[in-house]
Amino acid sequence: TIYVKGDFYFDSLIGGDLSWFTVNIPSVLTCASVVIVFIALFEDKKINIKPWHKVVFIGISVVVIGLAMVSMWIGWTPLSYNNIEGVQGRYFLPILPLLLICIMIEAKPKGKWYSQLVVIGSCVVNFLVVMQVFDIIVVS
């Protein structure tokens, strides 16, 4: 199921399909959001996460994802289907910080411009998303 519907889970986790899947945010903007998150992960944070904590975080994430999938398999998916139906990417939002902490690395200080790049980039992407939603809802 994750192999078949993984792109849908990722897109709906980031916010590609909104409002009962009638408002579609362009893939360019969702990818830009992901790039900004990854840029923010490599900023100097003075946080040192031990490797065994990362293993625990990954274990918790796997359990939560598994429970979400099993619950929809039992409660929503007809017996004749080959894949689990009803799971959306937003169900994985609570564990997203744990997974992001696992890929965070200690970085060298990059200066004030680096954090400003993250803030300005996220403001621009969010503004473009709001304009896209406005265009879809009001203009169309």
Side-chain angles (χ1 to χ4, degrees):
T1 297
I2 291 175
Y3 178 74
V4 172
K5 297 186 178 214
D7 59 339
F8 169 73
Y9 296 155
F10 179 76
D11 199 37
S12 60
L13 172 71
I14 303 301
D17 295 318
L18 305 171
S19 179
W20 295 95
F21 307 116
T22 58
V23 177
N24 297 322
I25 304 301
S27 297
V28 172
L29 294 177
T30 56
C31 289
S33 298
V34 171
V35 168
I36 289 171
V37 167
F38 279 107
I39 289 172
L41 284 176
F42 299 111
E43 186 178 10
D44 180 36
K45 294 174 186 53
K46 298 178 180 67
I47 297 174
N48 189 9
I49 306 292
K50 294 181 174 127
W52 69 274
H53 284 142
K54 291 183 181 185
V55 171
V56 170
F57 292 163
I58 290 172
I60 291 170
S61 300
V62 167
V63 167
V64 170
I65 290 171
L67 289 174
M69 300 289 278
V70 167
S71 69
M72 294 308 283
W73 177 51
I74 292 171
W76 188 262
T77 306
L79 293 174
S80 62
Y81 281 35
N82 292 329
N83 297 315
I84 299 171
E85 295 294 326
V87 180
Q88 298 177 21
R90 65 186 175 142
Y91 300 159
F92 308 132
L93 277 175
I95 60 157
L96 185 61
L98 286 178
L99 292 174
L100 292 176
I101 286 172
C102 291
I103 62 173
M104 188 172 69
I105 63 168
E106 263 189 75
K108 297 177 183 176
K110 293 180 180 52
K112 190 175 182 180
W113 64 270
Y114 196 83
S115 55
Q116 290 176 348
L117 174 70
V118 172
V119 171
I120 292 170
S122 62
C123 287
V124 167
V125 170
N126 285 328
F127 175 76
L128 292 174
V129 168
V130 168
M131 289 295 102
Q132 179 70 27
V133 171
F134 180 79
D135 180 49
I136 291 171
I137 292 174
V138 176
V139 176
S140 296

